[in-house]
Amino acid sequence: MQRQDRVVVVGAGPVGLCLALALAQAGIPVCLIEQLGDHNLLEQVPRAGTNHPATLEMLDRIGLYEKIEPRGIIAPVFHYRERHDNRLIAAFDHIHLKDDTAFPYVLQCERIKIVDEAMAMAKAHPLIDLRLLTTFTGFTQGIDGVTARVVDPAGEAEAIGGSFLVSCEGARSIVRKDVGIAFEGFTYADRTLNVEVAYDFRQHGYAERNYISDPTEWSNLFHWKGPPDRWRVHFPTAPDDDAEALTQPAALQVRLQRFLATGRDFDIVASNLYTVHQRVAQKFRAGRAILAGDSAHVNSPIGAMGMNSGIHDAFNLADKLTAILRRGAGEDVLDRYERQRRHVAVQHTQAQTMRNKRLLAEQDPLTRQRNHDDLRRTADDPARAREFLLRSSLIASLREAERIE
Ligand SMILES: Cc1cc2nc3c(=O)[nH]c(=O)nc-3n(C[C@H](O)[C@H](O)[C@H](O)COP(=O)(O)OP(=O)(O)OC[C@H]3O[C@@H](n4cnc5c(N)ncnc54)[C@H](O)[C@@H]3O)c2cc1C
């Protein structure tokens, strides 16, 4: 059935699901297209997991927060640490944001659990027509509508009509490529090694989230709720390192022991390598086709901003589409979506994630010392700590975007 007011959302990752739920709860029908099915939707490699305060407020708005909170870890404090002597450089406590948000902490809850819970809500919502095992292949658009081309689970081609098409397909967005929008930026030559281990690092003084500085091998260390309880450690690799050699169990044990010498093998749960891109789409909209989440911007995970800022896109866009489809606003509000969210992607997410990486990997001893002194002074001064946390938790980016007309 062709519904003129229906919004076609491609991709049921965290961004597509949040958008679909926010629109449906505002009374707007959605067709949500996802190539994966129930059997493999939750099998994707480990990715996002730190949910910042501003994101928690949004998830609460659609009733998702209460579902994911029991599956995650509430973490008010995060650390910057020096690797070589495991020294604490600075501890930041989100309690400084108690007057800025109802959620003065991050929730460590992995993307897969968010998708799992949001998918159950989407399945139960009468206004969401969920098409699993359905692959989007392209689209056309006219003055008052779009038609998405998909291949259904039986392998048959189908056309799905709607008022707008939102690409939440992730970084390889077909929509972005089809309309010829450049994905501007660069890809780091080195890949990051992700190792998940069942081991309680808190006994060595670590917080649930740690950014660990070192001129040769910086790391990130994050805690996730089990079972089994696990910690994710990130290590840099050299561009020409052999992928297979890097992920051999013996090589992983050596690297982990170099990180923390326990004298006993770590219980390794999983490992993988990933490539890091810093890119932003030149435009977030081409007529009735709109980009959100990783289709519009990708960045290093240091700082946990990719999924968070993608979810912020989803809520911003849901409000704009609701204004158009329910309150008769002009389509030019979508240009404001682009101005606001592209500004955040370039000026906040890209700038901050690149700065975070430089901070952890800084080679020059004097600059390292200056950076660490500055972090320490910031953490020790409540007013500066609040400013810092407003930025790291993306609240500052949302406030700034609100001022963009
Ligand atoms: C190691 C790592 C750690 C990270 N940690 C964090 C973190 O702590 N915090 C954070 O904020 N971000 C983090 N990120 C980034 C985060 O994972 C992404 O920004 C986020 O998953 C993007 O969500 P999305 O919904 O836009 O896209 P995706 O999660 O990529 O979902 C896209 C969906 O679209 C579907 N799809 C794609 N093509 C088609 C098609 N043609 N037809 C139908 N369906 C299609 C896919 O199957 C998928 O379900 C991390 C990334 C990595 C690699």
Side-chain angles (χ1 to χ4, degrees):
M1 189 177 66
Q2 305 283 312
R3 291 273 311 249
Q4 271 319 307
D5 62 346
R6 163 168 80 178
V7 175
V8 180
V9 177
V10 185
V15 177
L17 280 161
C18 284
L19 176 63
L21 287 166
L23 287 171
Q25 289 179 8
I28 295 168
V30 175
C31 180
L32 177 57
I33 298 164
E34 171 57 51
Q35 65 190 358
L36 302 176
D38 283 326
H39 68 290
N40 58 0
L41 192 73
L42 305 180
E43 278 174 9
Q44 298 170 63
V45 291
R47 292 167 62 184
T50 296
N51 298 274
H52 289 293
T55 310
L56 298 179
E57 287 178 20
M58 293 175 193
L59 301 182
D60 193 41
R61 185 176 129 188
I62 54 170
L64 186 52
Y65 176 76
E66 65 185 53
K67 313 261 186 210
I68 62 168
E69 197 223 72
R71 300 185 68 179
I73 297 170
I74 289 179
V77 176
F78 69 96
H79 285 177
Y80 282 96
R81 302 186 78 91
E82 177 80 82
R83 175 165 158 163
H84 78 273
D85 56 0
N86 188 18
R87 188 165 41 85
L88 178 67
I89 299 167
F92 283 92
D93 191 337
H94 285 81
I95 196 65
H96 292 299
L97 300 183
K98 66 180 187 330
D99 298 327
D100 296 284
T101 173
F103 299 90
Y105 50 80
V106 305
L107 182 72
Q108 293 289 96
C109 183
E110 303 93 305
R111 175 189 174 282
I112 267 173
K113 293 175 184 167
I114 296 169
V115 167
D116 191 23
E117 296 295 341
M119 183 61 82
M121 290 174 71
K123 282 180 179 170
H125 202 294
L127 288 182
I128 299 180
D129 173 13
L130 175 65
R131 307 285 189 95
L132 292 180
L133 295 172
T134 301
T135 302
F136 169 78
T137 56
F139 77 105
T140 52
Q141 62 174 315
I143 295 168
D144 52 11
V146 293
T147 304
R149 290 191 302 279
V150 302
V151 176
D152 74 11
E156 301 290 329
E158 192 189 340
I160 296 176
S163 53
F164 292 93
L165 175 80
V166 187
S167 163
C168 304
E169 307 154 78
R172 297 204 174 100
S173 169
I174 292 171
V175 173
R176 192 188 66 236
K177 289 176 194 154
D178 270 10
V179 296
I181 296 178
F183 210 20
E184 295 171 337
F186 66 93
T187 299
Y188 287 105
D190 53 324
R191 287 159 302 171
T192 302
L193 175 63
N194 173 47
V195 195
E196 301 209 354
V197 294
Y199 180 80
D200 192 353
F201 285 89
R202 284 171 301 190
Q203 59 190 300
H204 301 280
Y206 292 100
E208 318 284 359
R209 259 174 92 209
N210 307 273
Y211 294 102
I212 300 162
S213 161
D214 191 81
T216 50
E217 201 175 57
W218 56 268
S219 287
N220 300 319
L221 177 66
F222 303 120
H223 186 193
W224 312 108
K225 189 167 184 167
D229 243 41
R230 59 179 72 186
W231 292 68
R232 191 183 284 176
V233 201
H234 290 158
F235 298 110
T237 66
D240 47 2
D241 279 349
D242 176 60
E244 210 173 306
L246 283 172
T247 49
Q248 286 295 319
L252 294 176
Q253 293 292 353
V254 168
R255 206 181 267 262
L256 287 164
Q257 287 298 327
R258 232 171 33 218
F259 177 73
L260 182 71
T262 60
R264 294 177 61 179
D265 273 2
F266 282 91
D267 179 4
I268 297 173
V269 182
S271 70
N272 66 297
L273 274 170
Y274 62 89
T275 303
V276 177
H277 312 272
Q278 299 280 169
R279 294 182 185 275
V280 179
Q282 193 186 27
K283 287 161 57 58
F284 281 17
R285 175 186 173 214
R288 292 177 169 270
I290 308 152
L291 309 179
D294 273 18
S295 353
H297 45 78
V298 285
N299 55 269
S300 139
I302 307 177
M305 296 192 159
M307 178 177 72
N308 281 272
S309 63
I311 289 176
H312 298 189
D313 293 348
F315 280 86
N316 183 310
L317 184 55
D319 288 345
K320 305 282 193 292
L321 289 172
T322 305
I324 296 170
L325 295 167
R326 286 289 171 271
R327 297 195 295 277
E331 281 170 32
D332 54 345
V333 297
L334 294 174
D335 294 330
R336 184 166 179 236
Y337 161 77
E338 177 178 282
R339 284 194 296 277
Q340 291 177 311
R341 297 309 305 166
R342 198 168 182 285
H343 170 84
V344 167
V346 174
Q347 301 298 335
H348 288 261
T349 314
Q350 294 291 314
Q352 216 162 311
T353 49
M354 287 191 271
R355 205 163 45 234
N356 287 343
K357 185 170 182 193
R358 278 199 304 274
L359 181 72
L360 297 188
E362 179 57 55
Q363 308 276 310
D364 176 56
L366 282 178
T367 311
R368 283 174 62 74
Q369 191 56 52
R370 222 179 16 251
N371 289 344
H372 294 177
D373 290 346
D374 192 45
L375 276 174
R376 200 174 300 113
R377 276 196 298 272
T378 304
D380 289 345
D381 174 340
R384 284 182 68 185
R386 174 174 167 268
E387 287 303 318
F388 182 94
L389 287 158
L390 284 172
R391 283 195 305 279
S392 68
S393 67
L394 308 185
I395 294 174
S397 72
L398 286 170
R399 289 182 181 170
E400 198 172 298
E402 264 321 296
R403 294 195 290 272
I404 297 175
E405 285 309 319

